Amino acid sequence: MDPTYSPEAQAYREKVQAFLAEKLPTGWQGTGALPLDELETFVAEWREVLFESNYLAPGWPTEYGGGGLTQLEQVILAEEFTRAGVPSGGPNDAFSIQMLGNTLLMWGTDEQKEHYLPRLLRGDDTWCQGYSEPDAGSDLGNVGLRAELDGDEWILDGQKIWTSAGHLADHIFTLARTDPGAPKHKGISFLLVPMDQPGIEVRPIEMISGDSEFNEVFYTDARVPRENVVGGVNNGWAVAMSLLGFERGEAAATAPIRFQAEYERLQAMAIERGLADDPVIRQKLAWCHSKVRIMRFNGLRVLTQFLQGHHPGPDAAIGKLFWSEYHKVVTELAVDILGADAMVVEGRRPSSSFSTDDPGAANTSGSWVTTFLNARAGTIYAGSSQIQRNIVGEMILGLPKEPKPQ
């Protein structure tokens, strides 16, 4: 692990800080300080600023409209945006640019890149991810969605579940079984599917917080052009694993910063409510502080490996397991500090069901109670804690694998 940055890196950091100082309003406190009815307008305008400044896809080659930044520059950019409390794109760009766009750069044909990459940058299409199924969530290789070739089209029948933002999307990148006779990891293909057709039905799933960001997606004779396979027929497993690496790569830089800011907000609430000297509360705050520091050190370890050319592999499970289990505990502490006020949810709620509240959010019951409820889902989405423990045990520690069912 190397926690230091070179003078050249520090110079680029100052360049990003100057950009933020120029583009953000005076007295900026983070997106969490904006009312929800103003947040959507700000994010749309901010995305346009990033697009015009070539910061929307900073790691893409310039010929595809990206910023052409080095890996270190991308890390610094992500860190400074997170510290400033601004997003690195629009609400769909994590799916469209970070996940699908990077995957197309690695696996896509020239025709797919020329067609989709400009549309992703402009925000012409809204994407979601179709991986998990009722019998293939943690065991992704057990995908059962069928895709049969019929002339120049694939016909899809089956179901996906836990599809984040599926009710807002008009396209879905999905895994489908194109060869039922092949071993389960060998007969899967990665398809780009338009959702605005009669064969696609989306049903939102209401969460305990009252939000409905997860969905079921049903395919009934849905049709996809033959050329919409990415990475070759029956090679979808390799493509899917690449995409999961892009999904978790940036989190090593940004997650520790977001959780540190959240912890400082929690500590301030304890002081405001006169509980900072309570021995039980102090002990729990100290525990949370130590976990956030460990998260930071693990992030630096991952970033050091990343900058040396090592891309996220099984070790990405360590970070996912750590932050999601930690977040259950820290949000429970927030509810304890709120006390009876937690029984009445008041004030601005988080704009998203994922991870921490927006940077700069106020210490209201609306913020903390909703985050507390959403934190339970954090141990399930993007890989359940049980499966992350299996990955760490089997693929990192070399422990014996669990017996396979007959």
Side-chain angles (χ1 to χ4, degrees):
M1 179 185 75
D2 184 3
T4 64
Y5 288 88
S6 67
E8 294 79 10
Q10 185 58 34
Y12 183 73
R13 187 181 300 278
E14 293 172 359
K15 177 182 177 181
V16 176
Q17 292 170 346
F19 167 81
L20 291 168
E22 176 190 352
K23 300 297 183 181
L24 290 174
T26 302
W28 175 256
Q29 297 179 333
T31 54
L34 296 175
L36 289 179
D37 57 352
E38 297 179 13
L39 179 60
E40 184 176 352
T41 300
F42 169 81
V43 172
E45 294 174 350
W46 180 246
R47 187 187 191 278
E48 188 63 27
V49 170
L50 298 181
F51 177 74
E52 294 173 353
S53 306
N54 290 330
Y55 275 153
L56 199 55
W60 287 13
T62 54
E63 59 263 36
Y64 292 115
L69 300 187
T70 65
Q71 290 180 328
L72 179 57
E73 289 170 337
Q74 293 175 63
V75 168
I76 292 171
L77 186 71
E79 288 179 338
E80 290 304 315
F81 277 25
T82 304
R83 288 195 178 98
V86 294
S88 57
N92 191 244
D93 288 333
F95 289 114
S96 59
I97 292 178
Q98 181 181 339
M99 297 166 68
L100 178 59
N102 285 323
T103 300
L104 288 174
L105 286 171
M106 178 179 290
W107 293 98
T109 64
D110 290 340
E111 292 77 11
Q112 289 170 343
K113 294 175 185 177
E114 291 171 4
H115 175 75
Y116 285 107
L117 294 182
R119 298 181 63 86
L120 297 180
L121 285 177
R122 293 194 303 264
D124 293 343
D125 304 320
T126 304
W127 288 85
C128 61
Q129 178 184 26
Y131 275 20
S132 295
E133 299 179 5
D135 295 321
S138 298
D139 182 14
L140 193 57
N142 201 35
V143 163
L145 172 66
R146 300 185 307 278
E148 298 181 359
L149 193 59
D150 180 24
D152 291 330
E153 292 182 312
W154 296 96
I155 300 179
L156 275 62
D157 288 281
Q159 178 188 358
K160 296 292 178 179
I161 198 168
W162 311 124
T163 306
S164 302
H167 58 303
L168 304 174
D170 49 40
H171 285 75
I172 181 170
F173 50 88
T174 193
L175 294 179
R177 186 156 301 282
T178 45
D179 185 356
K184 67 178 188 178
H185 292 100
K186 301 294 185 180
I188 299 171
S189 297
F190 186 102
L191 298 167
L192 307 177
V193 183
M195 297 180 70
D196 53 350
Q197 56 172 301
I200 300 288
E201 179 187 359
V202 180
R203 299 179 188 172
I205 301 172
E206 185 172 348
M207 301 164 58
I208 191 173
S209 64
D211 298 322
S212 296
E213 292 200 17
F214 299 125
N215 302 265
E216 295 176 288
V217 180
F218 295 89
Y219 304 73
T220 305
D221 294 333
R223 294 183 173 270
V224 186
R226 181 174 188 165
E227 62 271 16
N228 279 26
V229 175
V230 178
V233 176
N234 296 332
N235 193 42
W237 182 258
V239 180
M241 294 303 101
S242 300
L243 187 142
L244 289 176
F246 294 127
E247 180 182 8
R248 293 179 179 171
E250 188 177 297
T254 59
I257 297 173
R258 288 183 65 97
F259 284 110
Q260 176 66 37
E262 181 187 62
Y263 169 76
E264 292 172 358
R265 190 161 62 93
L266 177 65
Q267 187 180 44
M269 184 170 70
I271 294 172
E272 292 166 3
R273 291 174 172 264
L275 295 174
D277 293 330
D278 180 283
V280 175
I281 297 297
R282 284 176 62 86
Q283 178 66 23
K284 291 182 177 180
L285 284 171
W287 183 90
C288 292
H289 171 77
S290 68
K291 295 302 180 183
V292 170
R293 298 306 297 163
I294 291 171
M295 200 183 305
R296 176 60 174 162
F297 293 140
N298 182 61
L300 289 172
R301 178 187 64 82
V302 173
L303 288 176
T304 300
Q305 295 176 332
F306 175 70
L307 296 174
Q308 293 172 348
H310 170 77
H311 292 283
D315 52 336
I318 299 174
K320 170 59 175 64
L321 176 64
F322 194 95
W323 75 253
S324 60
E325 291 295 329
Y326 158 80
H327 208 215
K328 289 196 305 182
V329 178
V330 72
T331 53
E332 287 174 2
L333 176 57
V335 172
D336 289 342
I337 293 173
L338 282 169
D341 289 342
M343 294 188 291
V344 180
V345 178
E346 295 180 326
R348 181 188 185 278
R349 292 162 59 93
S351 64
S352 172
S353 300
F354 303 106
S355 189
T356 66
D357 197 352
D358 302 320
N363 278 322
T364 64
S365 60
S367 170
W368 281 113
V369 172
T370 308
T371 306
F372 160 77
L373 295 173
N374 289 335
R376 272 73 201 138
T379 61
I380 301 173
Y381 65 69
S384 69
S385 291
Q386 291 85 348
I387 295 302
Q388 303 312 300
R389 293 187 181 99
N390 280 355
I391 293 172
V392 172
E394 296 174 8
M395 302 183 69
I396 298 177
L397 301 179
L399 300 177
K401 292 187 176 183
E402 291 187 354
K404 293 184 178 181
Q406 296 297 325

